[in-house]
């Protein structure tokens, strides 16, 4: 299933955290781990609605690249760069090494990453565009839920209350 994902959204984690006021405030009051989790929770709706691979990239501390999966899906990951390599460099490498048939989308406000990613053929979106995408996906999910609820209500209205007892 993971191979069927033709789009891969790479998010410049700390850049987005600092760009979104609610997350920036969370960073100051609740700390880094909680704020990273909040970012993952917020953007998950894109992963689920758009059916794309989503990777949030952060600077790391370990000697190797570390991958965390906040959900069971292997298509949703937090990626931490190894010590000595910035998240920026890792994003640039991921964008430039992508499979030819895979569309890469990079979300960042960092102009150097944007330039490097776009020169590799990636689509670059701003933190503002990423937030608009989140909002659009949330609205789409709500419409799907409301349509489903409406469909259930209509089918219940067609049945007699006594049908359940049969």
């Amino acid at each position: 299933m993971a191979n069927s994902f033709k789009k891969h959204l790479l998010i410049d984690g700390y850049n987005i955290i600092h760009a979104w006021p609610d997350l920036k405030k969370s960073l100051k009051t609740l700390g880094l781990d909680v704020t990273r989790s909040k970012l993952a929770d917020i953007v998950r709706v894109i992963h689920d609605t758009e059916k794309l691979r989503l990777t949030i990239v952060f600077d790391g501390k370990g000697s190797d690249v570390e991958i965390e999966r906040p959900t069971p899906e292997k298509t949703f990951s937090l990626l931490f760069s190894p010590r000595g390599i910035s998240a920026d460099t890792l994003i640039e490498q991921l964008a430039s090494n992508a499979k030819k048939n895979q569309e890469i989308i990079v979300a960042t406000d960092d102009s150097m990453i944007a330039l490097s990613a776009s020169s590799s053929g990636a689509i670059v979106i701003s933190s503002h565009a990423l937030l608009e995408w989140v909002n659009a996906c949330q609205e789409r999910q709500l419409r799907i839920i409301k349509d489903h609820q409406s469909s259930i209500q209509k089918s219940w209205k067609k049945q007699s209350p006594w049908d359940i007892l049969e």
Side-chain angles (χ1 to χ4, degrees):
M1 181 165 171
N3 293 334
S4 66
F5 286 73
K6 298 291 185 196
K7 293 182 180 183
H8 188 170
L9 173 59
L10 298 170
I11 297 175
D12 184 357
Y14 294 134
N15 183 272
I16 299 301
I17 286 172
H18 287 284
W20 290 356
D22 290 347
L23 290 180
K24 192 172 184 177
K25 182 179 177 183
S26 172
L27 184 61
K28 291 178 183 175
T29 58
L30 301 174
L32 191 53
D33 289 337
V34 171
T35 305
R36 280 194 298 244
S37 292
K38 283 182 167 218
L39 174 60
D41 290 343
I42 292 168
V43 299
R44 176 171 176 137
V45 70
I46 295 174
H47 171 267
D48 295 348
T49 305
E50 299 287 346
K51 307 263 190 277
L52 51 71
R53 178 178 294 275
L54 191 149
T55 305
I56 307 171
V57 185
F58 296 102
D59 292 315
K61 298 177 184 172
S63 58
D64 293 319
V65 171
E66 293 178 27
I67 300 170
E68 288 182 14
R69 294 213 165 78
T71 67
E73 296 93 359
K74 291 185 178 184
T75 56
F76 187 76
S77 305
L78 306 182
L79 193 64
F80 297 87
S81 67
R83 187 179 325 114
I85 297 178
S86 70
D88 298 4
T89 300
L90 196 53
I91 291 168
E92 291 167 354
Q93 289 174 353
L94 290 167
S96 67
N97 293 329
K99 296 176 184 172
K100 292 187 189 308
N101 65 344
Q102 189 175 45
E103 183 178 76
I104 301 296
I105 305 159
V106 176
T108 187
D109 285 340
D110 184 311
S111 59
M112 293 302 290
I113 295 173
L115 180 62
S116 175
S118 63
S119 68
S120 296
I123 297 166
V124 178
I125 64 171
S126 67
S127 62
H128 180 73
L130 180 63
L131 189 55
E132 287 180 342
W133 194 1
V134 165
N135 292 334
C137 288
Q138 287 172 338
E139 288 174 16
R140 192 171 337 145
Q141 271 192 341
L142 285 174
R143 275 194 313 273
I144 291 167
I145 291 168
K146 285 180 181 178
D147 290 348
H148 181 69
Q149 289 171 336
S150 175
S151 172
I152 290 171
Q153 289 295 327
K154 287 176 185 174
S155 70
W156 275 96
K157 286 180 181 177
K158 290 180 183 177
Q159 293 181 358
S160 162
W162 305 111
D163 290 348
I164 297 172
L165 301 176
E166 294 178 1

